[in-house]
């Protein structure tokens, strides 16, 4: 195991919500990508691979998590990266990628990234798609749903009416829905879409729910009806990585409650969670926190300044 489980559940009184603290999946680098890597890295090693190739936006948490935990498992990590709006957070993540020894290839677009990856594939290479959201990665969130089911049965929190989670590449939400259905936890999952085009994200996420359910041993797809997945797009704003006003307000509210958010994913999701609480459609709302809260400084110790060849990744 590369992370530390179970992650705590916590009541946030000021906003009338529960929180699943997946920011704490690892003290080295936390967040939701760690659970996907719990499944992906062992699969790479079991197949005798020496190297992982993956893809993401410049500041990708998935690429950084893969670089951190892949290299600790003795795998080389390479990533094709596409441009993203410049923020301090994005620059830090790029430097941390380099600091833990990842090889980074800047490309202009996702199709360009695919081409770059194909060109660099070898027999010893394990390919991981964007966000780690293939079926194997999503099974990490089936495990997370099972973990939550144990916490509910132990009385650590009331059974939620809605779980609110960010949807970027969809693996987190898909694994949760499949796992909750398998565990007979009846509750709505509200997926706040933060990546574009939203219609494509929605189709891919729903496909991933079914494929992950089957891969986790699900036989009767009717179980999925007890875990309705609502994919909402009203927090997306101008697109992936573009901050919104509702997100900024959500960051303030969460900050007062002691939770740090980021503008790309969790601020938009938390804004959606606040909406769910206010709508009175749901009594018990659980916000699933997916952003690492581990300090970045140790990963930046010994990391180089950003090399000029990576400047073009920042818009
Ligand atoms: C990657 C990421 C997400 C989105 O998860 P997906 O499984 O790609 O939908 C949400 N929050 C944070 C902080 C992330 O890094």
């Amino acid at each position: 195991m590369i992370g530390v489980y179970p992650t705590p559940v916590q009541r946030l009184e000021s906003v009338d919500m529960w929180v699943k603290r997946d920011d704490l999946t690892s003290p080295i680098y936390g967040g939701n990508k760690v659970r996907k890597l719990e499944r992906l890295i062992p699969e790479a090693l079991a197949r005798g691979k020496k190297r992982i190739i993956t893809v993401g936006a410049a500041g990708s948490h998935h690429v950084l998590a893969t670089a951190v935990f892949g290299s600790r498992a003795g795998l080389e990590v390479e990533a094709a990266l596409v441009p993203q709006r410049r923020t301090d957070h994005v620059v830090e993540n790029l430097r941390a990628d380099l600091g833990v020894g990842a090889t980074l290839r800047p490309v202009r677009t996702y199709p360009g990234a695919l081409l770059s990856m194909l060109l660099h594939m070898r027999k010893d290479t394990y390919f991981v798609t964007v966000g780690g959201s293939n079926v194997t990665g999503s099974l990490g969130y089936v495990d997370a749903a099972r973990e939550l089911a144990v916490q509910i049965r132990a009385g650590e929190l009331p059974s939620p009416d809605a779980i609110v989670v960010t949807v970027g590449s969809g693996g987190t939400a898909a694994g949760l829905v499949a796992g909750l259905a398998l565990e007979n936890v009846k509750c709505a999952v509200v997926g706040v879409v933060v990546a574009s085009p939203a219609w494509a994200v929605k189709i891919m996420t729903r496909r991933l729910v079914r494929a992950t359910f089957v891969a986790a041993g699900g036989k009767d797809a009717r179980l999925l009806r007890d875990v309705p997945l609502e994919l909402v797009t009203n927090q997306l704003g101008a697109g992936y990585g573009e901050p919104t006003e509702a997100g900024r307000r959500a960051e303030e509210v969460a900050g007062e409650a002691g939770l740090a958010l980021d503008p790309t994913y969790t601020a938009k999701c938390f804004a959606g969670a606040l909406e769910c609480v206010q709508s009175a459609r749901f009594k018990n709302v659980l916000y699933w926190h997916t952003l690492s809260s581990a300090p970045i400084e140790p990963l930046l110790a010994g990391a180089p300044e950003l090399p000029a060849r990576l400047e073009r990744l920042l818009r």
Side-chain angles (χ1 to χ4, degrees):
M1 215 114 77
I2 60 184
V4 184
Y5 309 102
T7 59
V9 286
Q10 181 189 349
R11 171 86 187 147
L12 283 193
E13 209 55 61
S14 60
V15 285
D16 192 19
M17 271 183 223
W18 286 82
V19 186
K20 177 66 168 161
R21 296 289 305 271
D22 265 7
D23 55 309
L24 299 173
T25 47
S26 161
I28 302 164
Y29 186 73
N32 62 337
K33 302 310 181 303
V34 180
R35 290 193 192 264
K36 298 179 182 185
L37 292 167
E38 297 285 0
R39 293 290 196 136
L40 292 165
I41 287 175
E43 185 170 271
L45 295 173
R47 291 185 185 171
K49 306 296 187 185
K50 301 275 180 284
R51 183 169 170 261
I52 296 185
I53 283 194
T54 192
V55 56
S60 169
H61 300 143
H62 159 66
V63 168
L64 179 51
T66 304
V68 169
F69 295 107
S71 61
R72 290 173 80 92
L75 295 159
E76 276 176 55
V77 176
E78 297 187 14
L81 298 179
V82 302
Q84 183 174 3
R85 174 198 275 268
R86 178 193 285 267
T87 65
D88 291 346
H89 183 66
V90 169
V91 172
E92 279 176 357
N93 285 1
L94 279 169
R95 291 183 55 222
D97 289 341
L98 296 171
V100 297
T103 301
L104 304 181
R105 299 185 206 288
V107 293
R108 274 180 223 286
T109 62
Y110 277 104
L114 203 61
L115 189 64
S116 159
M117 288 186 289
L118 284 174
L119 288 172
H120 291 96
M121 281 299 283
R122 300 189 312 234
K123 251 192 150 147
D124 66 351
T125 307
Y126 182 75
F127 167 69
V128 179
T129 188
V130 62
S133 287
N134 56 19
V135 169
T136 301
S138 303
L139 285 171
Y141 265 86
V142 172
D143 302 334
R146 294 193 192 281
E147 180 181 297
L148 182 74
V150 171
Q151 290 173 313
I152 293 170
R153 287 196 283 267
E156 286 185 44
L157 77 164
S159 197
D161 302 305
I163 295 177
V164 187
V165 66
T166 316
V167 174
S169 56
T172 303
L176 278 180
V177 170
L180 293 168
L182 289 165
E183 288 290 326
N184 281 305
V185 176
K186 296 179 173 46
C187 102
V189 172
V190 177
V192 179
V193 176
V194 302
S196 31
W199 61 267
V201 172
K202 286 164 78 170
I203 291 174
M204 299 215 327
T205 303
R206 292 196 187 279
R207 287 180 55 167
L208 202 48
V209 168
R210 291 188 293 270
T212 305
F213 179 79
V214 171
K219 300 268 184 291
D220 183 357
R222 282 173 300 187
L223 284 178
L224 288 168
R225 289 186 203 155
D226 290 334
V227 191
L229 172 63
E230 293 179 27
L231 293 171
V232 302
T233 56
N234 66 327
Q235 301 294 343
L236 179 57
Y240 176 79
E242 302 295 333
T244 59
E245 194 44 48
R248 264 188 285 270
R249 281 197 303 274
E251 264 189 80
E252 266 173 43
V253 173
E256 281 163 19
L259 218 54
L261 306 181
D262 75 297
T264 300
Y265 295 100
T266 51
K268 290 176 178 179
C269 184
F270 199 81
L274 290 170
E275 243 182 38
C276 283
V277 171
Q278 281 148 14
S279 81
R281 277 178 64 211
F282 308 111
K283 191 158 156 287
N284 286 312
V285 173
L286 174 74
Y287 160 71
W288 203 294
H289 193 37
T290 50
L291 177 71
S292 175
S293 59
I296 194 78
E297 288 74 22
L299 296 177
L300 290 175
E305 286 307 311
L306 196 68
R309 70 181 184 90
L310 297 182
E311 281 290 334
R312 68 174 142 127
L313 283 172
L314 305 169
R315 284 193 264 107

